Amino acid sequence: MAGTGADPLAHAEQFIWLTARVLEQRRFAHLFLEGSADSVETALAAYRNEDGGYGHALEPDLRGPVSQPLHTAHALSVLDSIGRCGGLRVERICRYLTDVSTKEGALPALHPSQRGYPAAPFIPVVDDPPAELLTTGPVVGLLHRNQVWHAWLFRATDFCWAAVDALDQSHPYEIEAAVAFLDGVPDRARAEAAADRLGRLVREQRLVVLDPRRSSEYPVPPGYAPGEHHFPYDYARTPGSLARRWFSDGELESSLDHLAAEQQDDGGWPVNWRQWAPGTALEGRPIVTLKALRTLRAYGRALR
């Protein structure tokens, strides 16, 4: 933890007010300062397009105005965090998801409409992109968890089940997406069985750092940035996640100690994925900081 004498939350608050976009400032206020959900939704609306999707670099690694599945998934996670994941707002989003789905009825990582606008080089623009569990899983899991029912969900859910069942050689972000799906899908018995298998896969393929003191001894997946490791809390963001069962109490606690210690001298948490433009890290750090604070709070770690 940054050694400034300030408590972690107060230190993070100063970082948020100094560096964050209005959306992340209002999310912080809602989460930790009794700010209103309305103010968060108002800030989020600035990123919404007429097609029902979201754009305008809501997800910092995709620039430009056009709606994209990754932006829209981000918007859904914000709405979920303020208890607004329902009604006409989500009906409009589901219509957008239907319009941009692939022939499998699921979501690509990047819709071809991104062509001509800046985007991270590790997310290539192709004319006929395949459906991706990475994009679809978190959206489907979130909608199920919020008891949203829409025609788009049926085929998308089937796609996610098939993709999860087929996972063999994988990488951490894909496993995170699978967990997000399994944590929300209604068939709990099937979800628990699938999660048990994935937990074994994660440990066998060394996709998680179990001893933060020896992080350098763990492999980094191809295409990831140097040191872009994943820890137990990356998979089990809350104690109620199915991924929590993958780790002993000691493994989880040591990873949370590591997360707390990652707070920087300026009060924020670092971005560990590959950086390709100056603005993406500036906008990404407050998002990562909010995620770290929410994770620590979910596990009862004192923030004041």
Side-chain angles (χ1 to χ4, degrees):
M1 190 72 67
T4 64
D7 66 74
L9 188 59
H11 202 36
E13 180 179 352
Q14 291 302 305
F15 171 77
I16 293 293
W17 295 133
L18 180 65
T19 67
R21 305 181 295 190
V22 172
L23 176 59
E24 283 72 50
Q25 290 178 355
R26 292 186 173 180
R27 292 193 70 197
F28 181 90
H30 172 69
L31 290 166
F32 299 103
L33 303 175
E34 300 184 355
S36 73
D38 288 344
S39 67
V40 177
E41 191 164 7
T42 298
L44 181 64
Y47 298 89
R48 189 175 64 229
N49 288 319
E50 292 183 3
D51 60 7
Y54 288 75
H56 308 281
L58 178 57
E59 184 65 39
D61 277 330
L62 302 178
R63 317 305 288 186
V66 295
S67 297
Q68 285 292 325
L70 286 173
H71 294 315
T72 306
H74 189 136
L76 277 170
S77 71
V78 173
L79 291 171
D80 178 56
S81 73
I82 61 173
R84 299 284 177 89
C85 196
L88 289 176
R89 59 175 66 82
V90 174
E91 175 69 28
R92 289 194 296 266
I93 288 174
C94 286
R95 286 200 296 268
Y96 165 76
L97 299 177
T98 302
D99 290 342
V100 297
S101 287
T102 67
K103 61 182 179 297
E104 297 95 342
L107 299 174
L110 196 62
H111 190 270
S113 61
Q114 184 67 32
R115 193 180 302 280
Y117 296 103
F122 45 81
I123 314 176
V125 181
V126 297
D127 291 331
D128 187 21
E132 297 277 2
L133 178 63
L134 191 70
T135 317
T136 313
V139 171
V140 172
L142 185 151
L143 293 176
H144 277 305
R145 185 159 44 78
N146 283 275
Q147 299 183 328
V148 173
W149 294 104
H150 188 275
W152 177 79
L153 266 177
F154 291 100
R155 289 187 67 200
T157 301
D158 288 342
F159 167 83
C160 289
W161 274 127
V164 168
D165 289 343
L167 282 180
D168 183 12
Q169 292 294 319
S170 189
H171 61 93
Y173 291 119
E174 188 173 48
I175 298 294
E176 283 188 48
V179 170
F181 167 68
L182 296 173
D183 278 346
V185 74
D187 190 341
R188 301 313 300 155
R190 184 176 180 184
E192 290 181 10
D196 287 346
R197 185 181 73 83
L198 291 185
R200 293 191 294 272
L201 182 151
V202 164
R203 297 180 78 96
E204 290 166 1
Q205 296 183 14
R206 303 188 73 205
L207 302 180
V208 60
V209 174
L210 297 176
D211 184 352
R213 298 167 300 178
R214 304 173 66 178
S215 295
S216 62
E217 298 178 14
Y218 287 80
V220 174
Y224 283 34
E228 189 177 354
H229 292 108
H230 281 63
F231 299 84
Y233 59 76
D234 287 306
Y235 300 108
R237 284 284 169 182
T238 68
S241 173
L242 290 174
R244 172 63 185 88
R245 307 177 187 181
W246 300 352
F247 310 110
S248 69
D249 290 348
E251 289 168 344
L252 182 68
E253 289 300 314
S254 66
S255 80
L256 293 171
D257 290 342
H258 171 77
L259 178 62
E262 282 287 282
Q263 189 176 20
Q264 304 294 288
D265 288 341
D266 61 7
W269 270 258
V271 166
N272 69 345
W273 59 83
R274 193 175 301 280
Q275 298 305 298
W276 60 280
T280 60
L282 292 175
E283 294 178 357
R285 285 194 66 207
I287 296 171
V288 170
T289 296
L290 287 176
K291 183 180 288 187
L293 291 171
R294 294 181 71 193
T295 299
L296 291 168
R297 185 172 69 174
Y299 281 100
R301 291 298 183 103
L303 295 174
R304 281 204 186 276

